[in-house]
Amino acid sequence: MTVRTSVVRARWRDIDRVVDLITDTLAPTALGAWLVPDPPCRAGVLAAVARIWTEHALLFGDAFLLQDGTAATVWFHRYRPIPPPVRYEGRLAAACGAHRDRFLLLGRALSARRPAEAHNHLAFLAAPGPHGANRAAASSPAVNGGWTP
């Protein structure tokens, strides 16, 4: 049995919702704790960095939400090289503070493993709570039948 879930393309007005979903998904994970070991600061730092990349994806990719707003995906179209986000170094430093080096290390590790050929890059798959991955996968047009990377 196939269940179809309605997916909508995220717009600039949806950035806050997408960022909240990414933050709520990442904050309780081991990666979130490694990126920002200080629990009281974790959500704020993760949200600020997610905002940088979500805004950038709306310029050089796409973001999608389940129509009920419970899951999101953020993609980059890597058909050609794309520039870093505007004022990235300064924005990252302001967002991360003392945790900046961990985000840079993660970024380098991910970049080193990125395929060289043209592709659609899934940057975030966000769906907090139980069964989150299933809901997030449903918000992916590639999974949901609307788009094939």
Side-chain angles (χ1 to χ4, degrees):
M1 179 171 138
T2 301
V3 176
R4 289 282 183 184
T5 305
S6 189
V7 176
V8 295
R9 186 178 307 273
R11 303 289 183 214
W12 287 95
R13 69 177 178 262
D14 301 314
I15 288 175
D16 289 341
R17 182 67 191 137
V18 173
V19 167
D20 287 347
L21 288 164
I22 294 168
T23 303
D24 292 348
T25 300
L26 185 56
T29 67
L31 177 60
W34 179 80
L35 287 167
V36 186
D38 186 12
C41 296
R42 187 172 302 141
V45 171
L46 293 174
V49 174
R51 177 171 299 280
I52 292 168
W53 287 107
T54 301
E55 289 174 358
H56 197 54
L58 292 180
L59 297 171
F60 293 97
D62 284 300
F64 296 92
L65 285 160
L66 288 184
Q67 195 162 26
D68 66 3
T70 60
T73 56
V74 176
W75 298 81
F76 286 96
H77 302 304
R78 293 199 175 272
Y79 309 137
R80 59 182 166 74
I82 61 174
V86 174
R87 298 181 312 278
Y88 181 61
E89 293 294 325
R91 290 179 72 191
L92 187 65
C96 298
H99 310 292
R100 178 180 162 266
D101 289 343
R102 290 174 184 252
F103 283 88
L104 290 173
L105 182 62
L106 175 64
R108 284 192 302 270
L110 294 173
S111 291
R113 289 160 182 80
R114 184 174 302 128
E117 55 275 343
H119 66 284
N120 288 310
H121 172 94
L122 178 62
F124 296 105
L125 180 68
H131 311 293
N134 291 336
R135 284 195 326 276
S139 72
S140 166
V143 174
N144 201 31
W147 172 50
T148 303

